[in-house]
Each structure stands twice: as C-alpha cells, then as structure tokens.
Amino acid sequence: MTITNRQSTEDVAAGIRRRVFLHTMRNNGGYLSQACSAAETLAVLYNEVLNLGEPTLPKMPLPFAGVPSASNPDAFTGAGYHGPFSPEYDRFIISPAHYALVIYSALIQMGRMGEDALDYFNKDGSSVEMIGAEHSPGMEVTTGSLAQGLSMASGLAWARKRRGDTGKVWVYMSDGEFQEGQTWECLAAMSFHGIDNVRVVVDVNRQQCDGAMSSVLDLGDLPARVVSFGATTRSIDGHDLDALRNATNSAEPGRPLVILANTSPFQGMPFLQRRFPRLHYVRFKSKDEREEMKVAIAEELGLELESI
C-alpha cells in the first residue's frame, strides 16, 4: 500500500489528538473524546487509503457563501479539501457532523488546510462550523440529522458504478447512527442493488450525547445485525493500524463493505476515563477542573504546558 504523505500514520493520529486537545483547552470545551476514538481510523484513511486529488479550495477556509442553488454561483462544498470530483478519485462522506473539529484537525495535519484554519472555528460568517454543513471543510453534504450520510453516499456510489467510475465512495459514521432506521434501510438497498463500491468505516465507541449507548438504546450484536443485511462486515480493533489496513482492503464483489472499528472514547487521553460515560462533549465547570485536565492530558500526549 502506497503511503501518500511523508508523515507516518502513527504521527498523523497523534497530531489529530493533539490539535483537538489544544483547541479544546483554548476554547473551554470541545468534542475531545471523538478525537480519542477516531484518530487512528482517520489517519489510516487520509494517509494511506483514500485516493484523493490535490485540494481545490484555499488553505484558509472561505467565508460561508450561501447555500447551493442555480442562482448562487459562489456556493461551494467543503469536499474541495478532498480534491476534484474526477472519476478516478475517491469521494469521502462524513456522516456525523459533530466530528467536524476532528475532521478539520485531520485536514490540517495532512496539509490540506492551513495551520491557522481553526482560527475561524465557530465564528459568525465562517464555513468552519462547530457542527459541519455541506460548506464546511471536508464535508460534501449536510448530514444534519444523523444517519443521512450513508443514504446519500449510496446514491452517489450507485451512480458512479453505473457510469463506470473507478473511484470508490467512502463513508465515515458513528455507531449511534445505527439507532436510526434509515441506516438499515440503506444497507438493505445497497445489498439488494449490489452497490459494492461503497466502503463504510464506523466509529464504534459506544457513546452518545446522553451517555453510554447501552443505557440509551443498546445495539446488541451489531456485527451480526449488519451481516444479516447483506454487507461484508469486519469487526476490528479501531486503534490497531494493521487491522484497519487489512479491513479496508477486504471488500467482496457485489456487497458493500462495513468496517466496525471498535474504539475507546479516551484512547490516548486516559484521564478522560474519570468522566465516563459523559464524554460526548467536554466542557469545564471551573478553572481548577480545566487546569487539572490540561496538566494531565498534556503529559499523556507529550505536550509542553507552555504550548497550551
């Protein structure tokens, strides 16, 4: 497998976590646990697996230019950071829009966005939104309500397959999206129509806004359920780079590939385990709490306190 970046994939994963942590500390909150669970999967995808062209958008994100329409020629999608929509290139759909900060950090780490791009995060008029939309960096479609991304990706993949495009359609999902009926309908449709140019990677961190998924709506034996809907299914350790590499290369003809990456919401930042299971969004109730977390996690990530 060709490495498309000069960094090691381990370094990309570490960089993603550090960037999200630094931003969280400096802004008194952030989606920190998503960086813990997603860093390795995104590092493998961006650094080794995805076949993407050079970005078509500037290093510094553009302001929001309005929604796409026939009368708005200035509108754009954040997919420009993944390169052009050429037949030979892959497309990458980010379904959980609340992973936006992690995606931005990955794009910066990969050199697809500028180092100062997060200065525009969650600012009025900016495209760098806290909850990503179709104009946000790395985002191609608005996935607003969870579970919509897979359906849009499957339609895109079906059209590309009929057209003879060689590029694949990759989808990044959270396991909470399997609590939605739309996900299961889409899996059934992809299996029925033989949409086998779709590759799905799921962050199975077993967490959601209201706490542990087991206490909200348990998914049971998720691998068995996905298999029963006709998808080729790989359930792996989502922090094991070799397991991820092997899984991404294990698609079967006539079936969509679903990789269930079992992850920890405090991988690389074990201090966060103190907050378990309330890890969906990390914010601080006091200066002392923030300082304690800053010191502990900076040491875990190998960061100098002076840099925070």
Side-chain angles (χ1 to χ4, degrees):
M1 184 176 294
T2 301
I3 302 295
T4 58
N5 197 58
R6 293 181 180 178
Q7 304 169 79
S8 71
T9 299
E10 291 86 349
D11 286 344
V12 174
I16 291 171
R17 285 198 180 95
R18 288 169 179 159
R19 290 178 186 279
V20 174
F21 169 69
L22 289 172
H23 188 273
T24 299
M25 289 295 109
R26 293 166 180 168
N27 292 272
N28 204 42
Y31 287 97
L32 192 54
S33 69
Q34 287 78 4
C36 293
S37 59
E40 278 79 18
T41 50
L42 291 175
V44 167
L45 288 172
Y46 275 116
N47 203 42
E48 301 185 28
V49 175
L50 294 172
N51 179 27
L52 303 175
E54 290 296 316
T56 60
L57 289 172
K59 293 279 188 177
M60 287 297 104
L62 298 169
F64 175 53
V67 297
S69 71
S71 60
N72 183 10
D74 296 325
F76 59 88
T77 77
Y81 288 102
H82 290 156
F85 291 161
S86 299
E88 71 275 20
Y89 288 131
D90 293 343
R91 305 278 279 272
F92 188 29
I93 304 298
I94 309 298
S95 191
H98 61 288
Y99 278 58
L101 176 58
V102 188
I103 297 300
Y104 304 154
S105 298
L107 291 171
I108 295 170
Q109 187 68 29
M110 292 299 301
R112 289 182 169 270
M113 276 208 307
E115 283 287 337
D116 298 326
L118 288 180
D119 291 348
Y120 300 95
F121 183 85
N122 206 31
K123 298 292 195 299
D124 287 347
S126 170
S127 60
V128 189
E129 299 205 41
M130 176 184 284
I131 306 296
E134 81 279 345
H135 49 267
S136 299
M139 309 286 178
E140 182 170 342
V141 294
T142 293
T143 56
S145 297
L146 285 174
Q148 294 180 354
L150 184 62
S151 294
M152 288 185 272
S154 68
L156 174 61
W158 188 64
R160 298 193 84 188
K161 183 178 174 69
R162 289 169 64 91
R163 197 166 55 198
D165 292 0
T166 56
K168 304 296 187 293
V169 178
W170 290 83
V171 191
Y172 194 76
M173 298 180 65
S174 63
D175 52 352
E177 296 180 84
F178 285 80
Q179 294 173 335
E180 302 277 358
Q182 184 170 343
T183 296
W184 299 103
E185 292 176 14
C186 182
L187 285 174
M190 287 195 295
S191 299
F192 179 79
H193 292 291
I195 303 175
D196 57 1
N197 54 338
V198 167
R199 310 283 187 267
V200 184
V201 181
V202 185
D203 185 12
V204 185
N205 64 13
R206 298 175 178 84
Q207 300 293 305
Q208 61 188 100
C209 183
D210 293 323
M213 288 180 60
S214 59
S215 67
V216 180
L217 179 61
D218 189 41
L219 294 175
D221 189 344
L222 183 58
R225 291 177 68 181
V226 176
V227 167
S228 72
F229 274 73
T232 295
T233 308
R234 313 296 183 202
S235 183
I236 63 167
D237 179 346
H239 302 299
D240 183 329
L241 297 182
D242 284 334
L244 285 162
R245 292 173 180 125
N246 292 333
T248 59
N249 198 34
S250 67
E252 298 175 328
R255 295 169 176 247
L257 172 65
V258 177
I259 300 168
L260 301 174
N262 297 281
T263 63
S264 164
F266 39 82
Q267 180 76 16
M269 305 182 202
F271 182 86
L272 287 180
Q273 191 168 5
R274 298 187 185 190
R275 289 177 171 239
F276 182 85
R278 295 288 183 175
L279 288 171
H280 184 72
Y281 185 91
V282 173
R283 58 170 56 88
F284 312 107
K285 298 177 182 178
S286 69
K287 290 182 179 180
D288 289 343
E289 184 183 43
R290 179 186 177 279
E291 185 66 17
E292 182 185 23
M293 180 177 289
K294 180 182 77 171
V295 171
I297 297 182
E299 182 178 358
E300 291 167 352
L301 294 178
L303 290 169
E304 298 292 335
L305 288 176
E306 292 75 14
S307 66
I308 304 174

